[in-house]
Amino acid sequence: MPRPFGLPVALAALLVAAPSARAESVLRIGMTAADVPTTTGMPNNGFEGMRFLGYPVFEGLVLWDLSRIDRPAGLRPGLAERWEQAPDDPKTWIFHLRPGVRFHDGTPFDADAVVWNLDRYFKADSPQYEPPAAGITRARAPLLAGYRKIDDRTVAITGSAPASYFPYMVVYLLFTSPASFERAGRDWAKVGMLPAAGTGPFRITGVRPREAVDLARNAEYWDADSRAKVDRVRLMPIPEANARIAALRAGQVDWIEAPAPDGLASLRQAGFVITTGSYPHVWPWFYNIGAANSPLKDVRVRQALNYCVDREGLVTFLNGTAEPAVGWLKPSDPNFGAPQNRYRLDPEKGRALLAAAGVTDKTPLALKVMISTSGSGQMQPLPMNEFLQENLKQTCNVDVTFNVVEWQVLLNAGRAAPDSPSLQGANALNVSSPSSDVAVMARYFASANVSPKGFNFPQWKDDRFDAALSELAGATDPEAIARATRAAHERLVDDPPWLYIVHDLNPRAMSPRVKGFVSPQSWFVDLTRISVQ
């Protein structure tokens, strides 16, 4: 091969002989969290924690299928290659574990590791019991009642009742290497700084509280077709929206969650990529129905507030990064049903319902709402809630005050009893919610899952809803499941446990150097597809 013209012979020989050096690729993400999510294998900070320090590092028997963007994400095999209901017991599911999987520390993933982790979440007297992780997991999988090892590659997990949607709860059970716990002297606080070992496509390499968590590509990942393209990921908590935009513009990060809506146009003009996409998500207020003397015990008050909200105005305020929410599901969803109430801005109807409940201009409704400064799926909570405060005052003379707390404090409040001192008298909580599947519906609204057991913070009970949920839990025919789901959702609209406000369109801003990102219809993202060029 002729040498390049004009190069000295020695230099030409060096260029030919030396292997081509490739710079290590690093993806830096600015999260909305105020602190890095916990790193023991069950992250806090809501689903943003699961998005970045859950599934990429610590996996479940069942995983989300994020390969498609044309429909809401379903499930796919994860650490279990298949599962089925036990033929002799519809409450029990048999999970067949994937062979050859190892944790990042080289120890095997097997049935003993599954049982060890389930004891960590559900057995309070086990040495590895981790109370914060247990609280999160029990609330997400409230039906789980028992489990056992069948053999090294098979486990049985039993629910408290038959539920066709049980695998949609199992998807939230993540697994950490038991060896991580032993290496840390059986101290979970130290496990999080080791770092802990999972089985995912990335492994944790460094943890700096309030600053960053570093991940590295797992070159030995069990799914060879899904090994990460990027070498490293740095996750950085930046809770203030404009600070995230400034970090992106300054080149300190490559990707930010939830950019401030009024900054989107200038980011586009500067060459940054803005992504949005509809996904199963709702941004509501959770009514505190169960508190003593709560004005929200009266369904007419709960309905009235849903007629007093100017959703279209809020969408305009958000620069089109949201859609109006008039139920837990979107009106376009085939399971929305045909409720009697079709919420819209109708102050006259809202005031009439309030008057029928004994609320007048002389005795106006006053609500105290606990909100966060930022957080997973919380969009822009401070300006959005200020908009609602003024909106409700103008339309229906409702006086709203706020108690502003950090996101994790608000999440903890969502699992509190209705008169708990931790709520500080709150009549409602502004906590964004997934609306991805019936298991989530059961977790948030079934009367059996009232807080603190589950996420039914309102302490809402509707017999027709419970009956529909029971019907679909035992159904196997798709049409029967769809019919019961529609009936259940109609009750969520007509006897509303929440104030439905908007659905998020999940905006992100990225450097044009970030390639391969797709916006699935899910809270979660597939970081393995992404490269930085």
Side-chain angles (χ1 to χ4, degrees):
M1 178 177 178
R3 64 183 175 88
F5 179 77
L7 285 176
V9 174
L11 179 57
L14 180 63
L15 290 175
V16 171
S20 58
R22 183 181 70 85
E24 189 175 59
S25 58
V26 182
L27 173 66
R28 301 159 301 169
I29 299 176
M31 301 182 295
T32 67
D35 195 0
V36 296
T38 48
T39 52
T40 61
M42 182 49 66
N44 63 4
N45 275 280
F47 272 9
E48 186 173 57
M50 291 288 281
R51 177 185 293 149
F52 294 125
L53 278 167
Y55 297 117
V57 182
F58 307 94
E59 298 177 300
L61 301 176
V62 181
L63 293 174
W64 293 103
D65 182 358
L66 303 175
S67 64
R68 302 185 58 157
I69 62 173
D70 59 340
R71 63 187 183 192
L75 300 179
R76 65 176 176 91
L79 297 177
E81 57 186 359
R82 59 186 174 89
W83 58 87
E84 73 274 344
Q85 281 180 290
D88 58 344
D89 180 8
K91 294 189 296 184
T92 297
W93 292 73
I94 308 299
F95 292 86
H96 304 272
L97 307 185
R98 191 177 297 278
V101 177
R102 290 188 172 273
F103 289 103
H104 300 147
D105 57 17
T107 58
F109 172 81
D110 54 21
D112 289 329
V114 171
V115 172
W116 186 93
N117 275 274
L118 294 178
D119 282 349
R120 161 195 176 191
Y121 299 134
F122 295 98
K123 189 177 179 183
D125 60 352
S126 67
Q128 67 268 32
Y129 186 68
E130 185 186 6
I136 294 169
T137 306
R138 290 181 178 202
R140 289 176 179 162
L143 285 181
L144 195 148
Y147 43 88
R148 61 185 174 88
K149 171 183 174 180
I150 296 176
D151 58 41
D152 285 347
R153 285 187 51 203
T154 317
V155 293
I157 303 180
T158 301
S160 57
S164 59
Y165 51 81
F166 192 69
Y168 280 92
M169 291 189 174
V170 175
V171 76
Y172 298 113
L173 304 174
L174 303 187
F175 296 93
T176 302
S177 168
S180 295
F181 186 65
E182 296 299 329
R183 283 178 55 211
R186 298 191 167 194
D187 182 341
W188 280 112
K190 295 178 180 178
V191 171
M193 301 298 292
L194 273 176
T199 60
F202 292 92
R203 56 186 176 84
I204 299 173
T205 59
V207 180
R208 298 185 301 282
R210 296 279 174 180
E211 184 180 342
V213 175
D214 289 316
L215 310 180
R217 178 179 183 269
N218 177 13
E220 305 299 322
Y221 184 48
W222 57 265
D223 185 353
D225 293 334
S226 297
R227 287 175 183 160
K229 292 179 173 61
V230 70
D231 294 309
R232 296 188 178 275
V233 176
R234 175 165 291 176
L235 302 168
M236 303 164 66
I238 309 176
E240 206 278 314
N242 287 318
R244 290 194 295 275
I245 288 180
L248 182 64
R249 286 183 174 277
Q252 296 169 349
V253 295
D254 309 295
W255 159 337
I256 59 173
E257 298 284 284
D262 58 4
L264 296 180
S266 64
L267 286 172
R268 286 193 183 97
Q269 290 173 355
F272 294 100
V273 178
I274 308 299
T275 69
T276 58
S278 180
Y279 73 123
H281 169 277
V282 61
W283 193 91
W285 285 358
F286 294 4
Y287 291 140
N288 187 347
I289 300 170
N293 303 316
S294 170
L296 299 167
K297 292 183 185 296
D298 194 316
V299 66
R300 294 169 295 188
V301 174
R302 305 198 301 271
Q303 291 172 340
L305 291 169
N306 273 290
Y307 282 108
C308 293
V309 171
D310 182 5
R311 298 170 179 86
E312 296 287 353
L314 184 55
V315 168
T316 299
F317 177 76
L318 293 170
N319 203 10
T321 58
E323 303 168 288
V326 293
W328 189 66
L329 298 173
K330 299 177 184 181
S332 59
D333 193 300
N335 291 322
F336 187 90
Q340 295 178 4
N341 288 273
R342 288 285 181 161
Y343 297 124
R344 60 197 179 280
L345 178 58
D346 188 342
E348 184 177 346
K349 185 163 187 173
R351 285 177 177 265
L353 284 165
L354 288 173
V359 178
T360 67
D361 285 343
K362 292 183 178 179
T363 58
L365 179 65
L367 297 176
K368 183 178 182 181
V369 185
M370 185 177 284
I371 68 174
S372 65
T373 52
S374 63
S376 167
Q378 289 293 89
M379 303 177 69
Q380 311 297 328
L382 296 180
M384 289 172 71
N385 278 295
E386 288 169 356
F387 178 99
L388 292 169
Q389 183 183 47
E390 180 65 20
N391 163 205
L392 289 171
K393 182 62 177 178
Q394 293 296 325
T395 57
C396 294
N397 194 32
V398 177
D399 294 320
V400 177
T401 58
F402 297 121
N403 179 19
V404 183
V405 298
E406 193 173 274
W407 174 227
Q408 189 59 45
V409 174
L410 182 58
L411 283 176
N412 293 342
R415 297 195 295 271
D419 284 305
S420 169
S422 66
L423 296 176
Q424 302 178 46
N427 303 109
L429 306 181
N430 171 220
V431 179
S432 59
S433 159
S435 53
S436 53
D437 54 81
V438 173
V440 175
M441 179 188 281
R443 193 166 80 224
Y444 276 101
F445 303 115
S447 61
N449 294 328
V450 296
S451 60
K453 177 184 177 183
F455 277 119
N456 185 350
F457 168 78
Q459 309 276 309
W460 181 71
K461 179 172 173 35
D462 182 279
D463 291 340
R464 286 195 282 172
F465 174 86
D466 282 341
L469 192 66
S470 177
E471 179 184 345
L472 71 88
T476 56
D477 175 65
E479 180 51 42
I481 291 174
R483 182 174 60 251
T485 305
R486 290 193 297 270
H489 188 263
E490 287 167 0
R491 297 308 303 153
L492 292 179
V493 176
D494 288 333
D495 185 11
W498 294 358
L499 175 59
Y500 304 111
I501 302 169
V502 292
H503 300 290
D504 187 10
L505 287 183
N506 212 9
R508 294 182 171 95
M510 299 179 182
S511 162
R513 297 172 57 242
V514 177
K515 306 296 183 182
F517 175 78
V518 296
S519 185
Q521 293 189 44
S522 172
W523 278 71
F524 309 110
V525 296
D526 185 355
L527 293 179
T528 67
R529 297 167 174 254
I530 295 166
S531 63
V532 178
Q533 300 176 3

